[in-house]
Amino acid sequence: MNKFHYLLSVFLLTECSNELNNTSSISKSKDSLVQVDVILIDSNEISSDYKEYKYCYFDSFANSNEVTQLAKDLYQNKDWDLHNEAPALALLDSLNAKNKWLRPFYFKIITKTYAKSDGYFSEGLGLVGKEFTENNLLEFISNFENTNCFNDEDMHTWAKIVLLELCLGADNNNGNFILSKYTNEMKARSKSFNIIKKNNIDKFCKTLSVEWKKLKNDN
C-alpha cells in the first residue's frame, strides 16, 4: 500500500464515518427507502427506483445540515479549495454514501472537483472515480438520463476523471489497449440495461476515446 492509499484510508475512515452517521437521520425519516447497495442486487428495481430522484433536488441538499460545508461551497460555486486533506479526501468517499438520496448530489459535487483537482486529490479522484464506474455501473450511467442534472459537459468531465486512473503508467503503446479493455468490459456488463442506458454507455465510451486522443496530442 503506497503512502497515498494509506492516507486515503485513514482520512476516509475517520471523516466519512461522521459524514455517514449524519446522513442516517435522512434515511430514518424515509422509512420506505432502501439503500442503493441493496437495490443494486436487482437491476430492474434500481432502474425504476431511480425515477424518484431524476428531478435534481440538489438545492435542497445544499441547504441541509446533513451536507458538509465543503460540498455546499462547491455546489454554490463559492470560494473553495481542496488543500485541506481531511475534508477533501472524505468528500471522495461520499460517492458511496449509504443514503441513496445523497449520492446523486455528491456525484454532482465530485464532478465539480475536477476543475481544481491536483496532487494527492487528483490521484484519489481518479482512483475513486474509476472504481465507482466499475462497481456501480448502473447507478453511474443512470445519472445521465436527465440532461438537466448531468449534461454532455459532465460526461466529458467524468471521462477525464476515469482517465486520471487509466492513464497511470500508460503510453501510446499500451494506452489504447487499456482503454479498449475498459470500454469493452463496460459494454459487456451493460447488455441487460435498457436502450437509453446502453446508448449512454456507448456515448461515454466514445467520450473516453475523444478525451484520450486529446491527452495523447497534448503530450
Side-chain angles (χ1 to χ4, degrees), residues 38-53:
V38 177
I39 296 174
L40 283 175
I41 296 174
D42 186 336
S43 62
N44 291 323
E45 185 178 355
I46 190 172
S47 179
S48 60
D49 192 63
Y50 261 73
K51 296 176 183 177
E52 296 179 15
Y53 55 71

Side-chain angles (χ1 to χ4, degrees), residues 86-97:
L89 291 177
L91 195 62
L92 293 175
D93 201 50
S94 300
L95 276 176
N96 297 307

